[in-house]
Amino acid sequence: EPEVTQTPSHQVTQMGQEVILRCVPISNHLYFYWYRQILGQKVEFLVSFYNNEISEKSEIFDDQFSVERPDGSNFTLKIRSTKLEDSAMYFCASTGTGAYEQYFGPGTRLTVT
Amino acid sequence: AQSVTQLGSHVSVSEGALVLLRCNYSSSVPPYLFWYVQYPNQGLQLLLKYTSAATLVKGINDFEAEFKKSETSFHLTKPSAHMSDAAEYFCAVSYTGRRALTFGSGTRLQVQP
């Protein structure tokens, strides 16, 4: 069964450093998303991406964040200058054409020290 | 704006007992509703979805949910709990034109032997 994959599973970085989280969505899906879950809190929407552009973003997704689909399979989330409060589990998800259900990857746990 | 309320952050049932996890939503337009399950250290797995077809929706592992517009509810049920059902369950909502999911706070289900 096709699935969303994410790498790395755990990333530790120092405050102020740049990080790139990687995702490979399900191959025939066209809508891509990033969410985050701070420990003990709700899953929060960050951004959605379709047709090589951001289609929607939340207020969390400020200028420190960017997304890219560098090739036909990868979808990345970059945080330019990490802060302690960026420590969270980051989930990638994707959706097929004509559907609304999102399929999630296993997540990347980002720890900022 | 849309929102999701999950009543009960923790629910404990005995093995073989009925599982009932509550979800109420707020949406000014017809919603799409989803239940996801998260096992420890794993991603979010789609259990079932409501996308304006049948109001009683069946999902994986004998879970089902009923969309009740008059009560703005989408409660998740399972007739007989199994030890393997112990996990965190999230209700989420989106709607036509906005694919971003808004999640509830989650309900942790414990199953006692």
Side-chain angles (χ1 to χ4, degrees):
Chain A
E1 185 177 327
E3 57 183 20
V4 177
T5 59
Q6 291 184 244
T7 55
S9 56
H10 192 190
Q11 173 93 45
V12 181
T13 190
Q14 289 190 325
M15 196 167 49
Q17 295 297 303
E18 175 184 286
V19 293
I20 297 177
L21 309 183
R22 292 182 167 80
C23 168
V24 178
I26 294 173
S27 64
N28 61 347
H29 284 187
L30 297 178
Y31 296 86
F32 314 118
Y33 315 85
W34 284 101
Y35 291 81
R36 78 173 186 190
Q37 184 181 30
I38 295 172
L39 187 64
Q41 297 187 24
K42 287 185 183 184
V43 177
E44 301 173 290
F45 168 73
L46 292 178
V47 65
S48 60
F49 191 86
Y50 172 71
N51 201 24
N52 283 320
E53 60 182 24
I54 290 173
S55 50
E56 189 178 2
K57 60 182 182 179
S58 72
E59 58 188 24
I60 302 169
F61 194 87
D62 61 21
D63 291 344
Q64 292 295 324
F65 292 88
S66 62
V67 289
E68 190 179 27
R69 187 151 164 84
D71 52 44
S73 58
N74 289 281
F75 179 51
T76 62
L77 174 70
K78 181 193 292 185
I79 308 175
R80 289 190 181 82
S81 178
T82 51
K83 307 181 185 111
L84 293 176
E85 55 264 37
D86 293 327
S87 294
M89 182 73 90
Y90 288 80
F91 293 107
C92 174
S94 68
T95 300
T97 306
Y100 274 82
E101 63 272 21
Q102 296 179 22
Y103 294 90
F104 284 76
T108 292
R109 181 168 297 284
L110 177 64
T111 302
V112 183
T113 63
Chain B
Q2 55 192 2
S3 65
V4 177
T5 303
Q6 291 185 241
L7 288 176
S9 58
H10 288 83
V11 170
S12 182
V13 300
S14 299
E15 192 173 19
L18 172 73
V19 175
L20 171 60
L21 304 182
R22 299 178 187 276
C23 172
N24 288 89
Y25 69 92
S26 170
S27 177
S28 56
V29 296
Y32 297 145
L33 293 156
F34 308 88
W35 276 99
Y36 285 86
V37 60
Q38 186 179 32
Y39 297 102
N41 301 315
Q42 294 188 26
L44 298 161
Q45 182 183 2
L46 180 67
L47 267 181
L48 47 78
K49 62 181 180 182
Y50 167 77
T51 54
S52 75
T55 56
L56 182 62
V57 178
K58 293 188 184 298
I60 61 173
N61 299 335
D62 294 328
F63 282 96
E64 62 182 38
E66 186 172 9
F67 171 67
K68 291 187 177 179
K69 184 178 178 181
S70 61
E71 298 177 8
T72 61
S73 68
F74 190 58
H75 302 330
L76 182 70
T77 60
K78 180 172 179 174
S80 177
H82 193 271
M83 297 295 289
S84 60
D85 295 326
E88 185 137 25
Y89 292 79
F90 293 94
C91 183
V93 63
S94 68
Y95 56 86
T96 303
R98 183 175 191 269
R99 290 174 174 271
L101 290 173
T102 300
F103 281 85
S105 301
T107 298
R108 185 167 298 279
L109 176 67
Q110 287 184 316
V111 182
Q112 309 288 347

